[in-house]
Amino acid sequence: MAKLTMKKISIYALRDDRKAVLERMQALGAVEIISDDSAADGFAREDKSGAAETFERSADTARRALAVLDETAPEKKGLLASFEGRRSMTPSEFAAFADRAADVLADCNDILELSKQRTENAAQIVRRRTNLAQLEPWKGLDVPFCFDGTKRTAAFIGSLPALYTEQSLAEALAAADSEIIFDIEIISASPVQTCVFVLCPIDMHDATETALRSLGFARPVGGFKSVPADKIARQHKKIAALEEEQERINERIAEYADRRRDIENMVDYYSVRAEKYRVISRLDQSKHTFVVTGYIPEPDCDHVAAAIEAVAPSAAVEFSDAGKNAPVKLHNDAFAAPAESILRMYSMPGKDDIDPTPIMSFFFYFFFGMMFSDAGYGLIMILATTWAIKKFRPETNMYNSMKLFQYCGISTFAWGLIFGSFFGDAPAVIASTFFGKQFTMPALIDPVNDAVTMLGLSILLGYVQIMVAIGVKVYMCIKHGDLLGAIFDNMTWIVFWTGVLLLAGGVLTGVGVLNVIGAVMMVVAALGIVVMGGRESKGAKRVLKGLYGLYGATSYFGDMMSYSRLMALGITTGVMGQVFNLLGSMLGGGVVGAIFMAVIFVAGHSINFGLNILGAYVHTMRLQYVEMFSKFYEGGGREFTPFAFNSKYIRLQEEIK
């Protein structure tokens, strides 16, 4: 139960050594720097927020340039590239990047400028295509839009919001004004619009316009002096030129692909510098000295002190008690450490909590395997995670995730052998379908035919985990000096439910002594709960509280029944596998049957694997969070967040374990 003891560290050093000390601390990543709202007496704060913002803007410029580069010339990566982690670099190599940072920033600005130009060109293309769509109905017009007639005639060029033919339009105009004389040409027509050219005597201009207006006549926007067909041709030419320009821009952006690593380095370089300057703004400083205060895990104290004194011989490093507000850092062995991520998703331990990871990890692996419960699937998990770990040598977080599923895979494999499941009943189906042989996987428990046994085993395992959780609570009560709470609020429940278990065992086996022992344990424990459960009160109120405490047995019973999901998911995985095997064997033996079997086998078991590994993961977490943690775990702690080299693409070689 490894929750590291935290210490408070205070570093007093000359201001001339500030850069060296902070860079060393950032590389070590072992101290969480803290500061009060205001500087201590005799000290001041140096506002470096402007410099930090400048560095952050440079980092953001690099991020945006990378996004443009990834969009235009995406890097070719394999499906498993995410396992590779960050590139390693020595501190000296990283520091040397400062000499090239200005050039890389200039490249980023060039990329963004090209991207801006590309965006503007794209907007122009959209506008011109919109204009083309508006001009397309007029391509048959052989006069400009601005043409309004001759000395003796008036011309009307426009559209009507309906479908007309020359005859129907002539009838509509005559109905509007029977006196006007006109000539009509339909340029184009659609169900929603008719483009027309109308000619009339000059002295009938107003009457004709009034008649047209009554039908919803509207002139086109823009009185072009050229024929629409010429305008359309010019628009096509300009769009083609813009598209060629876009290709040239994309090619120019792609030319920066060989600078991708430098741009990634720049993101980390300026992000790290911005973080350092934000820290400087929080330090207490005088004219010649500065002070760093923070939290540090006790095992790191000597190492950090020696490292600080190596770069700043005049520095003084002091350690003191961390107090109640100290952050939490976990430290577990290789078996439990992968499950720390499960705990973090719930909550870090509070100040009075123990680290439950060692206990939880065992039950997590154990229950996951029972739910997933197929030796074939477990073998896949073991082989895949082992290969990935050796191939990619992932960083700590990815390594722990792989180890989590590796241990779950081992448990799954073991439970699969217990249940006689290897890709469902694949060995039996293949043997009977293709070889005419009868084969049955040996099994200690058949989940389908021994469902009652499975249910009993599931509830028994729930009993074990809940009793372990209560046992942890007993330990915590004793540790904090609450002996009565340990005995009467917790031990009594262990005795009570052990009595229930013995009584049930006596009923099932017919061993009378188990009945007697179980009943006695239940009665003694129940009396203890009733008498001492409300001990903080007096009289009838004490008894009522004790009876209410005994009523809590229903809650424990409900929690134990929740473990029936172990049976349900264990059966589901096997049954789904058997269904897919049955479907695959429908065409019988032979070449066609073998091909069909292979296709259904791969597709079906992939679906079964994906669905049930997710179900096992989620439901196993639920059993830890709801049934186990509710018995002893409070949470609410704050995770230790050291001042470190927080980078996305680079890891210093000092970080490599």
Side-chain angles (χ1 to χ4, degrees), residues 20 37 90 127 148 251 280 336 387 396 528 547:
D37 294 335
T90 64
R127 287 195 297 270
D148 58 1
E251 290 173 0
I280 291 175
W387 174 81
T396 302
L547 291 172

Side-chain angles (χ1 to χ4, degrees), residues 548-569:
Y548 181 76
L550 184 61
Y551 178 73
T554 59
S555 174
Y556 282 98
F557 179 75
D559 287 344
M560 290 180 193
M561 291 304 297
S562 292
Y563 287 81
S564 61
R565 70 189 67 238
L566 295 172
M567 173 197 71
L569 270 75

Side-chain angles (χ1 to χ4, degrees), residues 235-514:
Q235 290 284 29
H236 278 298
K237 186 176 181 180
K238 289 179 180 179
I239 289 173
L242 286 170
E243 289 176 340
E244 290 179 4
E245 178 65 17
Q246 294 291 73
E247 290 295 327
R248 287 193 293 271
I249 290 174
N250 288 336
E251 290 173 0
R252 290 181 62 189
I253 293 176
E255 291 174 358
Y256 288 94
D258 60 347
R259 306 298 301 275
R260 192 189 306 271
R261 294 291 174 262
D262 281 341
I263 297 174
E264 291 174 348
N265 293 347
M266 180 177 161
V267 172
D268 287 344
Y269 176 76
Y270 282 114
S271 296
V272 168
R273 293 198 68 184
E275 177 62 22
K276 185 176 74 173
Y277 274 82
R278 280 191 287 267
V279 166
I280 291 175
S281 298
R282 295 156 48 199
L283 299 180
D284 290 348
Q285 303 182 69
S286 67
K287 185 176 181 181
H288 300 291
T289 62
F290 74 99
V291 180
V292 179
T293 305
Y295 295 113
I296 181 173
E298 188 175 44
D300 293 333
C301 290
D302 293 340
H303 174 61
V304 169
I308 296 301
E309 291 169 359
V311 297
S314 61
V317 182
E318 295 180 355
F319 300 100
S320 59
D321 183 67
K324 296 182 178 181
N325 297 322
V328 177
K329 183 176 181 180
L330 306 178
H331 179 73
N332 288 288
D333 59 25
F335 181 79
E340 288 179 2
S341 60
I342 306 297
L343 181 66
R344 289 191 182 94
M345 284 190 280
Y346 184 82
S347 180
M348 295 294 284
K351 59 184 179 65
D352 295 325
D353 283 321
I354 63 169
D355 175 15
T357 309
I359 299 172
M360 181 197 68
S361 60
F362 170 78
F363 284 109
F364 188 91
Y365 305 147
F366 193 83
F367 290 158
F368 183 100
M370 188 174 177
M371 290 187 191
F372 207 25
S373 65
D374 187 280
Y377 298 165
L379 189 61
I380 289 175
M381 294 173 67
I382 295 169
L383 295 177
T385 52
T386 302
W387 174 81
I389 289 171
K390 291 185 176 180
K391 170 71 175 178
F392 299 108
R393 300 186 181 276
E395 296 182 58
T396 302
N397 290 338
M398 182 61 72
Y399 174 84
N400 282 336
S401 295
M402 291 182 182
K403 293 298 289 186
L404 176 76
F405 284 100
Q406 186 180 67
Y407 292 142
C408 288
I410 294 171
S411 177
T412 300
F413 180 79
W415 277 106
L417 295 180
I418 292 171
F419 293 160
S421 178
F422 191 86
F423 296 105
D425 58 350
V429 171
I430 293 172
S432 62
T433 303
F434 297 99
F435 302 101
K437 304 291 184 181
Q438 295 300 316
F439 174 80
T440 302
M441 281 283 292
L444 295 178
I445 302 174
D446 184 344
V448 176
N449 297 320
D450 298 335
V452 175
T453 302
M454 277 289 293
L455 179 61
L457 177 62
S458 299
I459 295 175
L460 179 62
L461 292 173
Y463 161 83
V464 171
Q465 184 175 38
I466 290 175
M467 293 304 105
V468 169
I470 297 174
V472 174
K473 184 63 175 179
V474 170
Y475 166 80
M476 293 172 64
C477 287
I478 295 174
K479 182 179 179 181
H480 296 118
D482 184 10
L483 186 60
L484 291 178
I487 296 173
F488 294 106
D489 294 340
N490 296 284
M491 281 295 296
T492 49
W493 285 114
I494 295 178
V495 175
F496 180 87
W497 285 107
T498 302
V500 172
L501 184 65
L502 291 175
L503 184 61
V507 172
L508 293 174
T509 62
V511 180
V513 67
L514 294 179

